[in-house]
Amino acid sequence: MLPRRSSLTGLAVGLFAVYVAHTCWVMYGIVHTRPCLPAARDGEGSDGCIRPYLARRPKLQLSVYTTTRSNIGTENNIDLVLNVENFDVESKFERTVNVSVPKKTRNNGTLYAYIFLHHAGILPWHDGKQVHIVSPLTTYMVPKPEEINLLTGESVTQQIEAEKKQTYALDEPVSHWRSRLTLNVMVEDFVFDGSSLPADVHRYMKMVQLGKTVHYLPILFIDQLSNRVKDLMIINRSTTELPLTVSYDKISLGKLRFWIHMQDAVYSLQQFGFSEKDADEVKGIFVDTNLYLLALTFFVAAFHLLFDFLAFKNDISFWTKKKSMIGMSTKAVLWRCFSTVVIFLFLLDEQTSLLVLIPAGIGAVIELWKVKKALKMTIEWRGLRPAVKFGDFTESEKKMEEYDNQAMKYLSYLLYPLCIGGAVYSLLNIKYKSWYSWLINSFVNGVYAFGFLFMLPQLFVNYKMKSVAHLPWKVFTYKAFNTFIDDIFAFIITMPTSHRLACFRDDVVLLVYLYQRWLYPVDKSRVNEYGESYEEKPKRKPHKE
């Protein structure tokens, strides 16, 4: 019978392989659509195929209207903001227009854009073969808190006139203007099979009967993934006009179906409680990344998830079995816990994407548990009052503590002045939302900039013992893979610059540990802290019948 830990690892790897294979199959089904093959037909046009209306090369016109109503029946109470005559579906363009903002919208209301694709020279509501789509030009979001200089009280917007300042509470969502509108038309002369229409495309299709054949009108699509938070503009009550950039490009059927699924996924995340900013981080992965790099990113993210799970599993397993701190730096464990918690609070204060925040939170909880193990802490409840007790340390562990203190003594001469100097400099020259924000930023800048110095006590202990056998190398192996994966994600996922630089700092720390691994090879004949030798097979308990 295989050990339980091997079975768990094998199960995780097996589930991972099934997940990747299933995802690849689903993605293939999205980008590859089976065309209609009229092998047997009773007569022309009776083969069940649905043909593109664009194949007839009609003369088209693109019209964009705005209104405060979510549905319109006539041309009343609407404004024409863009009219493209002789619209060529093959030619991309980008135009910026000024849109009048109604009083209702300025008072925290909504404004909609109606995009019509219709025959040239005919009004949209008089054209039976027109297609249209609706998109809100406003969204609601809590405004970002204003940053001030904590010593002088000066703010970036202090020179703005009082009547132009917003009177909304900072915790209330207000109306923001979407300054970009991205349109696409599916231009492939693709013939669909009427008996197996893809459900994702079907809801965007409008069909007409022309003689004996069925045609689908041009598929008009709004790329909502291009609506980014960085393009949003808060709507002031005094604003009467706002700019709107309308861009158009053709799109293939495969990319259209993929984009529809991605937009549905982002919408589902928002239904599960993701904020507009969280959803924006996901949008950035798809919009700001090349399609081939996006496919690579998916596989990289899947492997990152697997290695994260295996690293967490082996880390917990290592510390669960560990009864002694011989060969381990207690100061390094304490520092790792402190830095992980500070980074988590910093990411929380910066409202970072949940893609980064959730793993950081899990890591912080594990590091707190490690501190409890390292200090041999036990908590006893005396009624409703908890009492914390610390265990006794052996002579060997006290010797390790001496090495630890010796390393920290020299390290403090360099580290403390740098951290204090950086905190004072940021207080004088950088604006923050609050004193708490300054404190967290000062701590995290110290962690990011000089955090690798706190790995020196563990390196010093390794040097004194001339050994690295006491370290959890399985965990290091999985984290090594994730370190290089993080280097890739540093350029893809939006995160604070200091957090991005820390990903590359971890590479240096890893290389130093690998050098010590090479410098102090493991003596397999020596008994480790568990009383086991690599050359001896672990004794198994006799099997009970």
Side-chain angles (χ1 to χ4, degrees):
M1 183 177 177
L2 291 174
R4 180 180 298 176
R5 60 181 181 181
S6 299
S7 301
L8 183 58
T9 302
L11 177 63
V13 174
L15 291 175
F16 169 76
V18 171
Y19 168 74
V20 171
H22 176 264
T23 303
C24 290
W25 174 253
V26 171
M27 294 299 295
Y28 174 78
I30 291 175
V31 299
H32 180 268
T33 307
R34 186 170 62 88
C36 183
L37 300 174
R41 61 177 71 183
D42 300 328
E44 184 179 354
S46 61
D47 50 10
C49 297
I50 304 176
R51 293 169 172 78
Y53 185 74
L54 282 178
R56 292 170 165 258
R57 302 295 183 262
K59 290 184 178 181
L60 300 175
Q61 184 173 334
L62 181 70
S63 302
V64 180
Y65 296 85
T66 59
T67 179
T68 56
R69 295 180 296 173
S70 58
N71 53 72
I72 57 174
T74 62
E75 61 270 31
N76 296 330
N77 299 322
I78 61 174
D79 294 323
L80 178 66
V81 296
L82 179 65
N83 185 31
V84 182
E85 298 180 353
N86 299 321
F87 176 65
D88 182 10
V89 295
E90 296 286 345
S91 302
K92 62 185 299 185
F93 70 82
E94 181 172 294
R95 298 184 187 179
T96 301
V97 296
N98 290 324
V99 179
S100 297
V101 183
K103 185 178 180 180
K104 182 179 179 181
T105 304
R106 297 199 299 269
N107 292 328
N108 221 19
T110 305
L111 190 67
Y112 297 92
Y114 277 77
I115 302 94
F116 290 90
L117 189 58
H118 54 98
H119 286 90
I122 304 177
L123 290 175
W125 28 86
H126 297 159
D127 185 3
K129 297 184 179 64
Q130 58 84 16
V131 291
H132 71 276
I133 197 166
V134 186
S135 176
L137 293 176
T138 55
T139 186
Y140 291 93
M141 194 173 68
V142 177
K144 186 178 180 181
E146 188 177 34
E147 295 180 346
I148 62 173
N149 187 300
L150 298 175
L151 296 180
T152 64
E154 292 181 358
S155 65
V156 179
T157 59
Q158 198 173 42
Q159 299 177 350
I160 298 179
E161 298 178 3
E163 62 269 15
K164 292 187 177 181
K165 288 187 177 180
Q166 289 295 312
T167 58
Y168 303 118
L170 286 178
D171 57 347
E172 292 181 359
V174 299
S175 188
H176 286 66
W177 176 257
R178 299 184 189 270
S179 60
R180 296 193 65 86
L181 182 64
T182 305
L183 309 175
N184 301 112
V185 173
M186 201 281 288
V187 297
E188 286 186 29
D189 289 337
F190 190 86
V191 181
F192 287 97
D193 188 345
S195 62
S196 58
L197 275 175
D200 44 26
V201 180
H202 191 196
R203 67 177 188 261
Y204 288 91
M205 294 176 67
K206 180 179 178 181
M207 286 163 280
V208 293
Q209 183 84 30
L210 299 177
K212 294 183 178 180
T213 60
V214 178
H215 289 72
Y216 63 92
L217 296 175
I219 299 177
L220 183 61
F221 177 72
I222 295 181
D223 184 4
Q224 300 288 0
L225 296 179
S226 297
N227 291 330
R228 305 297 306 280
V229 168
K230 63 184 180 182
D231 297 322
L232 294 178
M233 303 167 60
I234 193 166
I235 300 177
N236 297 317
R237 288 193 173 94
S238 58
T239 304
T240 57
E241 282 190 347
L242 285 170
L244 176 66
T245 301
V246 181
S247 57
Y248 166 79
D249 197 5
K250 62 184 180 181
I251 191 171
S252 64
L253 176 60
K255 186 176 180 179
L256 172 65
R257 295 191 61 195
F258 179 74
W259 239 232
I260 291 173
H261 280 271
M262 293 306 102
Q263 287 192 174
D264 290 346
V266 171
Y267 177 76
S268 298
L269 291 177
Q270 292 175 315
Q271 295 300 109
F272 278 113
F274 275 55
S275 67
E276 181 83 21
K277 190 175 186 302
D278 293 327
D280 185 71
E281 307 294 349
V282 181
K283 291 179 182 179
I285 297 176
F286 299 115
V287 176
D288 299 337
T289 309
N290 179 275
L291 200 57
Y292 295 104
L293 183 59
L294 184 62
L296 175 63
T297 303
F298 161 73
F299 287 104
V300 166
F303 278 102
H304 193 287
L305 185 64
L306 175 65
F307 291 139
D308 262 341
F309 169 78
L310 294 176
F312 283 146
K313 169 190 167 294
N314 284 278
D315 205 15
I316 294 173
S317 176
F318 174 83
W319 281 92
T320 300
K321 295 189 303 179
K322 196 164 187 61
K323 306 299 181 184
S324 168
M325 285 297 292
I326 297 176
M328 301 295 292
S329 169
T330 306
K331 296 293 190 301
V333 175
L334 289 171
W335 165 250
R336 225 169 15 242
C337 176
F338 171 76
S339 61
T340 305
V341 172
V342 166
I343 289 172
F344 172 73
L345 294 175
F346 168 70
L347 296 175
L348 191 64
D349 184 61
E350 290 290 316
Q351 299 179 346
T352 307
S353 167
L354 292 177
L355 298 173
V356 179
L357 192 62
I358 292 176
I362 296 174
V365 172
I366 293 177
E367 293 300 331
L368 287 169
W369 173 72
K370 287 184 191 177
V371 168
K372 178 178 175 295
K373 292 282 293 184
L375 299 181
K376 300 182 179 181
M377 294 171 55
T378 55
I379 300 176
E380 295 181 356
W381 289 90
R382 297 173 181 173
L384 297 177
R385 188 181 65 180
V388 179
K389 290 186 177 181
F390 297 91
D392 297 326
F393 292 91
T394 63
E395 290 298 323
S396 298
E397 289 174 326
K398 291 178 181 178
K399 189 68 175 176
M400 294 298 104
E401 193 68 19
E402 291 179 10
Y403 295 155
D404 238 357
N405 294 333
Q406 187 179 353
M408 284 299 301
K409 177 183 176 181
Y410 298 110
L411 186 60
S412 62
Y413 296 153
L414 173 66
L415 190 64
Y416 296 156
L418 289 175
C419 289
I420 294 173
V424 173
Y425 175 83
S426 63
L427 181 62
L428 295 174
N429 296 279
I430 301 176
K431 296 178 174 61
Y432 293 98
K433 294 177 289 187
S434 63
W435 285 98
Y436 170 78
S437 181
W438 167 75
L439 183 65
I440 288 296
N441 274 269
S442 299
F443 277 138
V444 85
N445 286 334
V447 169
Y448 283 142
F450 315 115
F452 67 96
L453 295 178
F454 268 94
M455 301 310 296
L456 295 180
Q458 182 63 63
L459 300 178
F460 187 72
V461 170
N462 297 344
Y463 164 73
K464 284 292 187 179
M465 294 187 65
K466 298 294 187 292
S467 172
V468 294
H470 44 271
L471 298 177
W473 282 101
K474 276 190 176 181
V475 179
F476 279 2
T477 301
Y478 295 130
K479 287 188 176 181
F481 288 114
N482 271 356
T483 296
F484 296 115
I485 291 174
D486 286 338
D487 295 344
I488 299 175
F489 271 109
F491 294 102
I492 297 176
I493 294 181
T494 302
M495 61 182 70
T497 304
S498 52
H499 192 74
R500 180 174 286 125
L501 293 175
C503 295
F504 299 102
R505 180 208 69 191
D506 292 340
D507 297 341
V508 178
V509 176
L510 174 65
L511 292 175
V512 174
Y513 274 117
L514 291 177
Y515 171 72
Q516 284 199 329
R517 173 80 171 184
W518 170 80
L519 192 62
Y520 310 129
V522 177
D523 182 2
K524 295 189 177 184
S525 63
R526 185 172 60 181
V527 176
N528 63 13
E529 66 268 30
Y530 301 126
E532 298 175 350
S533 170
Y534 282 96
E535 293 184 350
E536 298 176 0
K537 294 183 178 180
K539 296 179 182 180
R540 297 185 178 181
K541 294 182 180 180
H543 179 68
K544 295 182 180 181
E545 296 292 341

